[in-house]
Amino acid sequence: MENARQWLAAARSVAVLTGAGISAESESPTFRGPNGLWRNNKPEQLATPEAFARDPHMVWEWYDWRRSVHAGKEPNAGHHALAALERGKSEFLLITQNVDSLHERAGSRAVVHLHGSVWRVRCLECGREEANEQVPLVPLPPRCECGGMQRPAVVWFGEQLPQRELQAAVNAARQVEAFLVVGTSSLVYPAAALPRVALESGARVIEVNPEATDLTPHAHAYLKGFAGEILPALLSQ
Ligand code: BJW
Ligand code: ZN
């Protein structure tokens, strides 16, 4: 912990990659693991464009439920610690795979969403994307003003990540002095490759997770534990 603390305190530039684990202490279920969102569902049945094409109503019901779960949640001590870290750094980027908006609600400003947001929808006909925070959604599936059916503006398996966001994330991974990885299983690409890019570019890489991942043997520091407990201790000056 002490080394990691010093690296983060001394670094002029820092990037952070977060996954579902940072929202776990806000009582949001993660994807994988014993109580994961996919325990009773196969990801390829829900989080793919093919699944949506086959049965948009079923996929929308899952997202409508996810939105209702996210709607009542508050950012936790981990989100707040990262927002405070940003305020103390001249170069900072928070890269999240999460589709909730808990980082922004905690006060983080420089945030890139690699996998989109459950609070945005996109028209399948005209491509227009808009914010939609209605819970529950009526009608389901929701409709664009052009009459076309809308889909969640998230990134499913087999779909490309938004290119501008991905490029910003890769650039940050190449440039920063310290790269912090919090609450991700490091299984889903290309996000899982970002810590490797940072390692190859000479950054100190620090991982926070109660479970070891494929990244753990390569990280300069592995802090085993919950983000809401580790991050406030790690980032207090
Ligand atoms: C705590 C904690 C606490 C718990 N504190 N921690 C290379 C090899 C093989 C396959 C591929 C490859 N490259 C690409 C692929 C295919 C695929 C992929 O990666 N598959 C793998 C599963 C093998 N990738 C893609 O398809 C991506 N697209 C792509 O590559 O496009 C290429 C392309 C090019 C040209 C044309 C077309 C395409 C897209 C990936 C999209 C992922 N989407 C999802 C769903 C988003 C929408 C939604 O929310 O419904 O994103 S999948 C899901 O996984 C979600 C997450 O963001 C993502 C990552 O999960 P995350 O966040 O890591 O969560 P968990 O649950 O896995 O882990 C939680 C962790 O927290 C655990 O480690 C816990 O221990 C920990 N934890 N409590 C701290 N308190
Ligand atoms: Zn439209």
Side-chain angles (χ1 to χ4, degrees):
M1 167 81 95
E2 219 24 66
N3 280 345
R5 207 147 100 103
Q6 281 170 16
W7 295 331
L8 283 162
R12 206 177 40 80
S13 53
V14 175
V16 184
L17 173 66
T18 65
I22 191 150
S23 295
E25 288 151 275
S26 296
E27 288 159 33
S28 284
T30 58
F31 288 92
R32 298 163 186 87
N35 296 311
L37 279 166
W38 288 339
R39 201 171 50 120
N40 299 316
N41 295 304
K42 289 208 171 87
E44 60 273 17
Q45 280 174 354
L46 294 166
T48 68
E50 292 76 21
F52 188 76
R54 212 168 30 240
D55 193 345
H57 199 266
M58 182 192 68
V59 174
W60 257 122
E61 277 183 344
W62 187 55
Y63 279 94
D64 197 35
W65 170 74
R66 300 257 313 276
R67 286 160 58 104
S68 75
V69 170
H70 287 309
K73 307 302 185 209
E74 296 296 331
N76 64 55
H79 296 104
H80 288 297
L82 293 179
L85 174 67
E86 175 175 8
R87 291 193 282 273
K89 297 293 172 192
S90 53
E91 279 180 50
F92 182 90
L93 190 64
L94 201 165
I95 306 155
T96 189
Q97 301 169 78
N98 296 349
V99 295
D100 61 33
S101 47
L102 292 181
H103 284 304
E104 286 88 346
R105 289 188 40 214
S108 287
R109 290 287 165 264
V111 183
V112 298
H113 283 263
L114 293 181
H115 294 160
S117 167
V118 283
W119 302 115
R120 297 186 69 78
V121 295
R122 187 165 71 243
C123 177
L124 295 168
E125 299 299 327
C126 72
R128 203 171 82 93
E129 196 177 298
E130 63 188 17
N132 181 327
E133 298 190 354
Q134 190 189 30
V135 176
L137 276 165
V138 183
L140 198 72
R143 296 261 164 201
C144 175
E145 61 187 24
C146 83
M149 188 194 290
Q150 293 170 317
R151 58 163 278 177
V154 298
V155 181
W156 286 322
F157 285 115
E159 293 187 316
Q160 255 185 324
L161 274 65
Q163 290 305 294
R164 201 180 307 151
E165 280 79 356
L166 181 59
Q167 199 52 57
V170 171
N171 289 345
R174 284 198 184 124
Q175 287 162 18
V176 291
E177 291 165 29
F179 195 90
L180 179 60
V181 185
V182 184
T184 176
S185 56
S186 290
L187 290 172
V188 175
Y189 285 83
L194 293 168
R196 306 300 181 102
V197 172
L199 280 169
E200 283 161 16
S201 308
R204 291 288 185 183
V205 173
I206 299 147
E207 184 183 33
V208 177
N209 197 313
E211 307 288 340
T213 70
D214 288 353
L215 172 66
T216 309
H218 307 280
H220 293 106
Y222 168 50
L223 306 176
K224 185 177 173 66
F226 300 125
E229 293 169 11
I230 302 259
L231 291 180
L234 178 66
L235 301 174
S236 63
Q237 293 293 317

